[in-house]
Amino acid sequence: MYNSENNQIYEKVTSLAAKAEAEISSVFARIDEISYKNTQKVLRSFAEHRVSESMFAASSGYGYDDRGRDTLDEIWADVMDAESAIVRHSIVNGTQAIAIGLYGLLRPGDTMLAITGKPYDTLEQVIGIAGEAGNGSLSDFGVDYMQVDMIDGQRIDYDSVGKILRDQEKNGKKIKVAFIQRSKGYLNRRTLSVEEIGEAVRFVKSISPETYVFVDNCYGEFTETREPTAVGADIIVGSLIKNPGGGMAETGGYIAGTRRAVELASYRLTSVGVGGEVGATLGQNKSMFKGLFYAPHTVAQAIKTAIFAAYMFEELGYKVEPKWNEVRSDIIQTVITESADGLCAFCRGIQAGSPVDAYVTPEPWDMPGYLDKVIMAAGTFVQGASIELSADGPLKPPYTAFFQGGLTYESGKIGIMSAASEILKSSLSHK
Ligand SMILES: *Cc1c(COP(=O)(O)O)cnc(C)c1O
């Protein structure tokens, strides 16, 4: 609908977008280079493993000798610089992939030490620091949990981690699992680079060589040219409806790492003795292969969208994290909108700029497990896929919008311009 106010907003947003693109192109070149190197790695591995159409055939029943499944596992291990990997459409989400890994490694009497602060919300009930006793959390099984917060949300508190590791060694115990979350997720902390994770691995192993270093790799895959397994992490896990599914996988998760760690996880995935040798793929192999093929490129599209947004919203006067020219190790971008109206306007704009359900207006709602109302925008092909353009945030100060994704930069850019327009409209209507 034409009116002079809308027209002014349109002019402002388009001229700002042009200014943004002129400036951020230098950073885009760096993103393209990472995508190129990761694509090279993926393609080379596809060729070495002689990927062929027969591998896309569906298996049923036990799924014995599913060549596609076994080959994808090998390729995944290769690309992640890991000894071994399991990639399954039957892992329902990232939380389950992490739970499989933790239950695979931890035994009664063992201790898990989180060294980057509190793990992702959905893991609290898995660990047993939230929820009712008796549901089968790690705590119910006699696994202890310790946590060291990051200093000012900026860096790992090595003094405290070192002290705990040494004290345990002195008592003849060991920390069985040191847990690292790579991405800031929805916390007010920095995302760790693979280099920093490497430092953490070396530190832990220098005191306690037998401790498994476990990395929640969600949102981090292919944002750099190496994954944490390349710098010594024993096990990394993630979701296929985020980065490594490339926007193609319908569902699923992966676990990669040392032969032993992945074997132990595979015994939890199916059952002890059976491991990863079975599991019908039901026709999902092709979308997972295709997803891995696309993943470096799709992740680059999401990062470019985030960089564009960081520039746009900073210019509009909002605090953003990270800034457009900062080095990234995940696909998450935050914009502090400073008001409930601003946050809702932002989400409305993202929704309106989505390929699916663009006509829907997101409303804040009481989500189970959250104290404050939450608003979410997601017009995605795959339900809840956050490699696709999506945004959410709790309705509490400072009204931070967390957003990520964008299957193509062009569509992501349109979504961000739409969000910028909605925010401008909402701030004008309050003056
Ligand atoms: C998304 C995510 C998870 C797992 O979430 P699911 O919704 O179960 O896939 C875990 N950790 C981090 C950091 C995440 O971003």
Side-chain angles (χ1 to χ4, degrees), residues 26-286:
S26 58
V27 185
F28 278 17
R30 193 166 76 205
I31 305 305
D32 288 335
E33 182 63 22
I34 293 170
S35 171
Y36 178 74
K37 285 191 174 145
N38 284 329
T39 298
Q40 234 178 1
K41 220 197 257 187
V42 168
L43 261 189
R44 197 178 293 145
S45 188
F46 271 47
E48 272 167 18
H49 289 88
R50 305 168 76 102
V51 172
S52 65
E53 195 182 358
S54 64
M55 292 177 184
F56 307 148
S59 62
S60 64
Y62 292 123
Y64 287 137
D65 301 320
D66 185 317
R67 275 185 57 235
R69 183 196 62 217
D70 294 345
T71 305
L72 184 63
D73 284 353
E74 287 170 16
I75 291 173
W76 207 278
D78 236 26
V79 169
M80 302 276 168
D81 293 302
E83 288 172 5
S84 180
I86 36 181
V87 190
R88 294 293 181 276
H89 78 275
S90 54
I91 297 176
V92 301
N93 59 15
T95 304
Q96 194 198 0
I98 296 167
I100 289 168
L102 290 175
Y103 279 97
L105 298 178
L106 290 156
R107 300 288 176 268
D110 284 346
T111 303
M112 161 183 177
L113 171 65
I115 68 171
T116 52
K118 193 175 73 59
Y120 198 72
D121 279 5
T122 55
L123 295 174
E124 289 179 33
Q125 294 195 42
V126 172
I127 296 166
I129 49 177
E132 284 160 38
N135 287 345
S137 68
L138 288 165
S139 163
D140 282 343
F141 284 100
V143 173
D144 288 330
Y145 172 75
M146 296 170 91
Q147 175 181 317
V148 174
D149 290 335
M150 285 170 68
I151 298 170
D152 301 326
Q154 292 298 305
R155 51 190 189 285
I156 294 173
D157 180 354
Y158 282 115
D159 288 346
S160 303
V161 172
K163 183 170 183 318
I164 290 172
L165 288 170
R166 273 187 286 268
D167 285 352
Q168 294 273 325
E169 290 276 309
K170 236 181 277 161
N171 298 335
K173 286 189 71 181
K174 281 182 187 18
I175 295 291
K176 185 65 155 298
V177 167
F179 186 89
I180 294 173
Q181 181 179 307
R182 174 173 174 181
S183 166
K184 68 166 159 302
Y186 301 115
L187 291 176
N188 193 12
R189 51 154 270 210
R190 254 182 68 249
T191 289
L192 295 176
S193 67
V194 170
E195 185 67 40
E196 287 170 297
I197 292 172
E199 263 167 47
V201 172
R202 286 190 293 278
F203 180 80
V204 169
K205 302 264 180 191
S206 72
I207 301 171
S208 181
E210 280 155 49
T211 295
Y212 288 106
V213 178
F214 189 123
V215 179
D216 171 356
N217 206 29
C218 284
Y219 284 138
E221 299 90 352
F222 301 121
T223 58
E224 299 188 41
T225 53
R226 295 182 304 175
E227 300 301 328
T229 24
V231 293
D234 295 279
I235 182 166
I236 63 174
V237 299
S239 161
L240 298 197
I241 63 168
K242 294 179 179 173
N243 307 17
M248 296 286 163
E250 299 287 341
T251 181
Y254 77 89
I255 297 163
T258 61
R259 201 161 300 288
R260 182 59 176 158
V262 173
E263 181 183 29
L264 288 170
S266 78
Y267 290 155
R268 178 72 195 191
L269 171 73
T270 59
S271 66
V272 178
V274 176
E277 309 282 290
V278 297
T281 51
L282 310 175
Q284 293 301 312
N285 281 349
K286 185 172 174 175

